[in-house]
Amino acid sequence: MPEMRFHIRWPDGAEERCYSPSLVVKEHLVVGESYPVADFAARSRTALNIASERVRAIYGRPCGLALAQRDRIETTAERFYADAGARVAVLGFED
């Protein structure tokens, strides 16, 4: 299963390198786009849940790294929900 990293910039300028065990993230995020924080969190949640289930289908258990990444994104996103104009930028993909 091809894993990947996706690079993002949070509204406070902090950049993060995120992990996915599947390329499915490319179906939910676009490099160069920025998303409202809640939308980015929802897209990431969907993609990482799908990625984890793909691992489960092959190995019989979900991907702990994908689920941990999903949880980190959701925890960080919560810090920005009060700012309606806050956006997360997708900087790039690394296959």
Side-chain angles (χ1 to χ4, degrees), residues 1-71:
M1 175 169 279
E3 61 182 28
M4 68 170 298
R5 308 291 185 290
F6 54 106
H7 300 263
I8 62 170
R9 183 181 314 113
W10 290 101
D12 64 358
E15 293 186 8
E16 185 172 350
R17 183 176 182 240
C18 303
Y19 172 80
S20 173
S22 166
L23 302 178
V24 70
V25 170
K26 291 181 175 184
E27 298 173 15
H28 297 272
L29 299 174
V30 176
V31 172
E33 291 291 326
S34 68
Y35 300 92
V37 174
D39 184 31
F40 172 77
R43 288 169 179 267
S44 297
R45 180 183 320 110
T46 298
L48 291 166
N49 284 340
I50 291 168
S52 180
E53 287 304 310
R54 288 182 178 177
V55 170
R56 181 194 307 268
I58 294 170
Y59 298 106
R61 64 187 191 298
C63 179
L65 292 173
L67 298 178
Q69 181 66 71
R70 178 201 63 198
D71 293 347

